[in-house]
Amino acid sequence: METPLQKADRHIQENKQNVNERYRLRYHLMPEAGWMNDPNGFSFYGGKYHLFYQLHPYGSVWGPMHWGHATSEDLVRWEHAPVALAPDTDADGGGCFSGTAMEVEGRHVLMYTGLQLEGDGDDRKVHQVQCLAFGDGKSYEKSLQNPVIPKEKIPEGVVKADVRDPKLFERNGMYYCILGSKDLEQKGVFLLYRSADLMEWECMGTMDAADEVNGGVWECPDHFRMDGKDILLVSPQFKKPESLRYHNIHSTCARIGTLDLEKGRFLLEQEEEIDAGFDFYAPQTLEDGQGRRIMVAWMQMWERNMPSNEEKHGWAGAMTFPRILWMQDGRLHQLPVPEIESSRRNRYMAEAEFSGTWTQEPLRGNVSELLVEFETLEAEAFGVKLFAGQEEETVFRYDVKEEVLIFDRRRSGIVLRGSRKELAGSGVRRTQLKARNGKVTMRFLLDRTSVEAFLNGGEKAMTGTVYPSEGSDRMVLFAEGKVKVRLEKYDLIF
Ligand code: FRU
C-alpha cells in the first residue's frame, strides 16, 4: 500500500514536468510542483543547509499541509529531497503546520504543529497540537508520543484553536519552545514551554504579547541571540501601521530585548520592521557551521493575487534569497549571503554625472544583480527603474528632502491586489532612509518575477514579486536634479 508520503512524492514527480515555466525563478527555492508557503525547519545539519517548507503537493493553492524538503551546500543551489512529513497520524491528520528543527544527539529533530481532528461532519473540531519527528537528514519518523504538547496543555486565556508554529531551542541543557497564538482580546501572544527531554513539556505562560489589538495570531516565532541581545522574529497577522512601518497586509518584525528564561518573560527594548516591501513573511533563521546567522522568508503574501496559481501554472510560492544578519548601530542589518558572488558574470561598471535619465546598453537583464551608489549634487529625488519596457517599470525612488525610499510596483506588469486598503494594497511601499554624507546605496537582486532591494549596505530591505511582460528588462537611472553615480551590474548564472 502506498503511504501518504509516497503518494505526495509520486504526485510531484508526475507533475513537475507540467509546471508552466513562464514565471519560474532561477535561483530562489520554489516547489517542484504545487503550493509553497512558510519556510520550516531551516537548519544546518550533517554539513548541509536544510530548508523545509509548507507544501501542498496536490494543487497550486493552499491545502492540507505537508513539509517539503530541500538541501544545499552553498545556499544558492538547492536539491529537492523527498517530502519529509505528510498528514497521516491521529495527531496531525488535518495537516502538518509550520515549525522548526534542531540537532539533538546527532539526530535531526523537527517540531511542528499537527492539526488534530476530532469527530466528523459538522461536529468536527480541529485542534492545534505540537508534534515531533526524528530523522537523519533524509527521512523522518514521527514520535509515537505525539502530540507532545496536547490540547490539554494549552493555558487559559488564549484562543485554543490557534496555538502553533513551535520554535524549538536549547539553553543550558533545557529545551524551550515558543508558540504563537492570540489572547481572548485578539492580541497576538507568544507562549513559552520548557522540557528536560523533549517529550514532557511544561507551560511557563505568556512570554511576550502585542500591546494593541491586531486581530490575529503572532505567527512563526524565531529566536536567536546576537551581540548580547535576544532577538525574536514575529509574523503578526494584521499588524497596524505605525508611521511608514507595517503597511503590508501582514508585516514582520524583529523584537530586540532580553529573554529571561527563569521567569519566562521577554523584555522589549526596541522593535523594527524586518522588510519594508510587499512579499516577505514567516522568516526563520539558522546558525551555520561558520557561526553566521542566516534568514529566509516566504517571498509571497497572504490574501493577495498570485499570478502563478490563478492562471493554473501548477505552482505557487518561493523563498527569499538567504540573507546574512548582523547588528550594527543597534539595528538588525541584512544582505544576501556572499555565496551569490560565485554566480556573477559579465561585470559592467560605470560612473556618471547626470540629471534626467541615464542608461547604457549593458544595463538590462532580469536574472541580475545591480549595485548603485548615488550621490546627490543638487537633486530632489533619484532612483532606479527595473524591469523597464514599453509601458512597464518597477521603481525605487529616493526623496531627498523626506529621506524616504519608495518602492512602486503599480506599473510593474500584472497588477497585484491585496485585501487591505493601506499603501500595500495600492502597490506602493515607503521606508525611512537617511543619506550618509549625501550618499545612498541600493543593491538589487533580480530574478525574473522578484526583486530584493538592500539599502545603505543592509540597513533596510524591501522585497517584492513583479510580473512584467517578456522583454521588459531594462535598467534606467533617473534624477530630478543633478547626481553622481557609481554602479556595478552582473548577470547571474546558475
Ligand atoms: C503562516 C501560517 C502559519 C501556519 C502555516 C500554515 O504563514 O499561517 O501560522 O503554521 O502558515 O500553512
Side-chain angles (χ1 to χ4, degrees):
M1 251 278 281
E2 194 177 43
T3 65
L5 265 186
Q6 289 164 340
K7 184 173 165 215
D9 273 321
R10 180 173 54 78
H11 189 85
I12 290 169
Q13 293 313 317
E14 286 171 7
N15 283 278
K16 66 181 189 189
Q17 295 80 4
N18 305 329
V19 161
N20 186 327
E21 286 295 317
R22 174 68 182 89
Y23 301 134
R24 298 283 281 176
L25 302 157
R26 291 285 180 263
Y27 59 95
H28 288 78
L29 181 68
M30 300 167 291
E32 291 179 284
W35 161 279
M36 165 194 275
N37 59 286
D38 313 354
N40 293 156
F42 187 39
S43 50
F44 188 73
Y45 172 80
K48 278 187 188 169
Y49 297 96
H50 292 258
L51 182 44
F52 302 83
Y53 52 90
Q54 290 283 278
L55 166 71
H56 180 226
Y58 303 111
S60 55
V61 291
W62 191 86
M65 283 289 115
H66 295 56
W67 274 37
H69 183 196
T71 63
S72 175
E73 284 177 12
D74 62 2
L75 293 162
V76 180
R77 290 155 199 91
W78 291 93
E79 215 174 291
H80 287 279
V83 176
L85 301 175
D88 56 7
T89 68
D90 286 348
D92 62 20
C96 300
F97 270 22
S98 287
T100 51
M102 68 177 283
E103 180 170 344
V104 178
E105 290 161 11
R107 287 189 301 174
H108 204 195
V109 179
L110 313 183
M111 191 166 190
Y112 66 98
T113 299
L115 294 199
Q116 188 171 39
L117 307 176
E118 188 184 307
D120 30 40
D122 289 348
D123 296 334
R124 193 168 93 168
K125 285 205 184 94
V126 183
H127 304 289
Q128 300 194 344
V129 295
Q130 316 313 319
C131 300
L132 291 172
F134 297 89
D136 59 0
K138 293 198 175 84
S139 62
Y140 295 82
E141 292 270 337
K142 292 177 183 172
S143 168
L144 296 174
Q145 277 167 261
N146 281 345
V148 293
I149 304 184
K151 64 179 196 297
E152 292 76 20
K153 285 207 176 166
I154 301 171
E156 293 306 318
V158 299
V159 174
K160 294 192 178 189
D162 284 304
V163 181
R164 56 178 178 265
D165 308 338
K167 166 63 192 177
L168 175 65
F169 63 100
E170 184 261 348
R171 187 88 69 81
N172 300 329
M174 278 302 269
Y175 298 105
Y176 294 87
C177 158
I178 305 174
L179 295 177
S181 187
K182 61 180 172 183
D183 68 13
L184 304 178
E185 292 170 13
Q186 302 293 312
K187 289 179 179 165
V189 300
F190 278 170
L191 300 173
L192 185 66
Y193 285 72
R194 77 175 157 203
S195 168
D197 61 2
L198 292 171
M199 294 298 162
E200 286 293 324
W201 290 88
E202 170 204 356
C203 183
M204 299 176 73
T206 299
M207 65 168 253
D208 195 14
D211 53 16
E212 47 151 35
V213 173
N214 58 304
V217 171
W218 269 19
E219 298 188 309
C220 299
D222 192 68
H223 165 259
F224 55 92
R225 283 188 59 80
M226 191 175 267
D227 286 6
K229 300 283 180 200
D230 287 286
I231 302 182
L232 296 177
L233 304 190
V234 191
S235 297
Q237 293 179 305
F238 306 110
K239 185 169 171 60
K240 295 223 166 65
E242 286 168 19
S243 61
L244 293 185
R245 307 190 304 171
Y246 308 128
H247 286 262
N248 214 344
I249 296 177
H250 307 290
S251 301
T252 52
C253 29
R255 290 170 69 84
I256 302 171
T258 311
L259 176 56
D260 182 336
L261 286 171
E262 290 299 308
K263 298 202 180 84
R265 296 284 178 277
F266 180 76
L267 203 68
L268 178 72
E269 287 165 26
Q270 155 201 347
E271 184 196 79
E272 42 188 82
E273 184 168 33
I274 302 174
D275 187 290
F278 303 91
D279 296 294
F280 184 97
Y281 198 64
Q284 280 200 353
T285 67
L286 60 72
E287 188 183 306
D288 73 359
Q290 305 165 45
R292 304 184 302 174
R293 180 60 54 181
I294 295 162
M295 173 176 74
V296 292
W298 182 38
M299 193 164 61
Q300 263 299 348
M301 183 46 56
W302 295 111
E303 290 136 324
R304 216 190 260 124
N305 57 324
M306 295 177 202
S308 82
N309 73 14
E310 286 173 14
E311 294 173 22
K312 305 281 178 282
H313 283 241
W315 71 284
M319 292 299 154
T320 62
F321 188 74
R323 303 172 184 184
I324 192 155
L325 298 180
W326 76 99
M327 290 285 278
Q328 190 178 317
D329 309 326
R331 295 205 55 218
L332 203 56
H333 281 55
Q334 49 186 307
L335 278 179
V337 293
E339 283 88 335
I340 188 77
E341 291 168 26
S342 67
S343 291
R344 289 174 171 175
R345 299 289 182 282
N346 307 328
R347 178 162 74 163
Y348 170 72
M349 288 173 76
E351 283 188 28
E353 264 184 44
F354 71 96
S355 54
T357 59
W358 187 90
T359 189
Q360 293 287 308
E361 189 47 35
L363 287 180
R364 62 191 328 159
N366 62 6
V367 184
S368 326
E369 188 178 350
L370 175 68
L371 301 95
V372 193
E373 180 190 87
F374 285 94
E375 184 177 348
T376 163
L377 300 177
E378 50 194 39
E380 282 172 19
F382 53 78
V384 179
K385 297 178 178 180
L386 303 166
F387 299 104
Q390 286 283 308
E391 285 169 10
E392 292 171 357
E393 57 188 25
T394 296
V395 185
F396 288 84
R397 178 176 191 273
Y398 186 69
D399 185 314
V400 176
K401 197 157 123 247
E402 302 284 329
E403 302 186 305
V404 168
L405 198 293
I406 305 154
F407 174 6
D408 184 346
R409 65 172 182 185
R410 285 174 299 182
R411 286 159 48 82
S412 289
I414 298 175
V415 175
L416 303 173
R417 291 185 202 287
S419 67
R420 239 162 93 163
K421 290 203 176 59
E422 283 89 359
L423 293 173
S426 72
V428 178
R429 292 258 11 231
R430 298 163 207 271
T431 193
Q432 210 71 51
L433 188 76
K434 284 211 179 305
R436 293 191 198 134
N437 304 323
K439 289 182 187 164
V440 168
T441 65
M442 305 183 191
R443 176 171 171 192
F444 303 99
L445 289 186
L446 280 63
D447 193 0
R448 301 190 79 232
T449 52
S450 72
V451 54
E452 293 166 274
F454 301 90
L455 308 163
N456 280 357
E459 200 183 307
K460 289 279 172 83
M462 296 177 111
T463 301
T465 55
V466 288
Y467 296 87
S469 307
E470 265 166 301
S472 293
D473 67 350
R474 300 213 62 111
M475 302 167 179
V476 179
L477 277 55
F478 64 91
E480 291 158 31
K482 202 163 167 204
V483 293
K484 192 168 164 181
V485 292
R486 287 205 284 154
L487 69 87
E488 266 172 78
K489 183 239 148 185
Y490 301 90
D491 299 325
L492 297 173
I493 306 292
F494 300 92

